């Protein structure tokens, strides 16, 4: 069987407009803002990766994210606040397994914008896109078990805990646990944009 991933999606980058946000392709000019977000301790606390050391490294990351789209291996959106035109975070279906029609998601918001439902607004847009347009069969998220806010948003949007790996990830001198969450297309229920 050939992959059911919808290749048409990769013809031109899918930008989205939600009630309060624009989701668009990254530009190199986003580097300073992305650097600011990824240098924030509260953002990076449970990411289990070191922040990029300088703007040059962030530019390289942006190029890699855009290249992933050109290679049809991932999609990464800059999250823009429509009112201020400020980048407030990012969301990626950053890895796509074509054989398994499975996408791994990753996301972050500037802490100044936490607790306003912004990331939920992104989930409500990108998850349906992933299933209905990209044709994924399932989506996955890998979190540090201490990352309560990440777990909370996944559960809120229908993801279920699928696995707990003990000390499977070595970072910064320590073996860390991981939790894997997933959402299958058949269990996906489109949720209204409500505050629950
Ligand atoms: C994970 C992360 C994106 C969640 O951000 P968030 O702002 O808590 O998520 P949401 O957009 O869903 O907002 C939910 C909160 O907004 C509140 N809210 C306010 N207005 C709302 C509205 N109109 N709609 C929905 N929720 C609203 C909710 O009550 C909820 O608050 P609560 O958590 O106190 O119950 C954020 O914590 C983050 O960037 N963390 C650091 C990076 C990270 O760890 N990323 C994940 C790696 S695996």
């Amino acid at each position: 069987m050939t992959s059911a991933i919808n290749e048409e999606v990769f013809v031109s980058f899918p930008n989205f407009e939600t009630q309060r946000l624009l989701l668009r392709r990254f530009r190199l000019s986003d580097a300073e803002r992305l650097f600011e977000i990824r240098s924030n301790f509260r953002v990076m606390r449970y990411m289990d990766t070191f922040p990029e050391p300088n703007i040059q490294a962030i530019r390289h990351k942006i190029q890699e994210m855009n290249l992933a789209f050109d290679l049809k291996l991932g999609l990464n959106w800059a999250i823009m606040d429509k009112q201020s035109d400020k980048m407030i975070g990012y969301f990626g279906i950053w890895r796509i397994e074509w054989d398994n029609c499975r996408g791994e998601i990753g996301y972050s918001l500037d802490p100044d914008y936490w607790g306003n439902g912004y990331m939920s607004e992104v989930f409500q847009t990108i998850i349906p896109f992933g299933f209905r347009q990209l044709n994924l069969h399932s989506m996955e998220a890998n979190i540090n078990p201490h990352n309560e806010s990440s777990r909370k948003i996944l559960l809120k949007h229908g993801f279920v805990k699928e696995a707990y790996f003990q000390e499977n990830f070595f970072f910064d001198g320590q073996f860390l646990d991981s939790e894997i969450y997933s959402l299958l297309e058949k269990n996906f229920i489109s949720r209204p944009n409500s505050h629950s």
Side-chain angles (χ1 to χ4, degrees):
M1 196 179 91
T2 54
S3 174
I5 292 284
N6 175 16
E7 236 181 309
E8 294 290 308
V9 159
F10 295 95
V11 171
S12 71
F13 191 87
N15 298 317
F16 295 101
E17 183 169 353
T18 70
Q19 202 186 343
R20 295 175 292 178
L21 308 167
L22 286 178
L23 310 179
R24 63 149 174 83
R25 189 173 191 166
F26 271 99
R27 302 168 184 160
L28 276 182
S29 54
D30 295 323
E32 274 182 32
R33 191 57 195 126
L34 185 59
F35 185 60
E36 230 169 69
I37 293 172
R38 285 186 57 92
S39 302
N40 188 308
F41 166 75
R42 295 176 72 202
V43 171
M44 298 308 284
R45 185 160 181 197
Y46 300 119
M47 296 282 239
D48 303 335
T49 180
F50 291 111
E52 289 72 19
N54 52 44
I55 292 279
Q56 194 47 42
I58 281 279
R59 282 206 191 97
H60 183 65
K61 183 178 176 66
I62 291 175
Q63 282 165 335
E64 277 183 345
M65 289 193 289
N66 285 340
L67 181 65
F69 176 76
D70 298 336
L71 296 174
K72 305 176 184 169
L73 294 174
L75 295 114
N76 294 280
W77 290 267
I79 304 173
M80 308 295 298
D81 171 34
K82 277 205 288 201
Q83 221 169 29
S84 60
D85 197 34
K86 190 170 179 180
M87 188 188 140
I88 64 167
Y90 59 91
F91 186 103
I93 304 178
W94 65 274
R95 177 161 55 203
I96 296 169
E97 293 174 21
W98 277 63
D99 287 348
N100 304 319
C101 295
R102 190 167 171 94
E104 181 166 351
I105 62 171
Y107 42 85
S108 286
L109 267 190
D110 176 336
D112 286 351
Y113 294 84
W114 290 359
N116 290 290
Y118 286 117
M119 194 53 86
S120 278
E121 209 165 301
V122 176
F123 268 64
Q124 280 158 1
T125 302
I126 301 297
I127 305 299
F129 160 81
F131 288 132
R132 296 191 186 132
Q133 287 169 55
L134 187 55
N135 252 351
L136 293 174
H137 182 74
S138 64
M139 292 193 209
E140 171 181 328
N142 180 333
I143 73 166
N144 179 315
H146 296 291
N147 197 342
E148 301 285 353
S149 17
S150 192
R151 177 186 298 107
K152 196 166 176 182
I153 195 166
L154 290 166
L155 293 174
K156 190 156 61 181
H157 292 275
F159 283 72
V160 294
K161 189 161 117 178
E162 216 173 52
Y164 189 104
F165 293 119
Q166 294 182 65
E167 303 191 7
N168 71 324
F169 190 71
F170 186 75
F171 171 67
D172 203 14
Q174 281 180 296
F175 289 98
L176 303 173
D177 294 354
S178 316
E179 272 182 19
I180 309 297
Y181 284 80
S182 83
L183 178 60
L184 302 185
E185 191 275 335
K186 66 182 178 195
N187 295 332
F188 163 67
I189 304 161
S190 188
R191 273 144 228 270
N193 191 0
S194 64
H195 178 189
S196 54

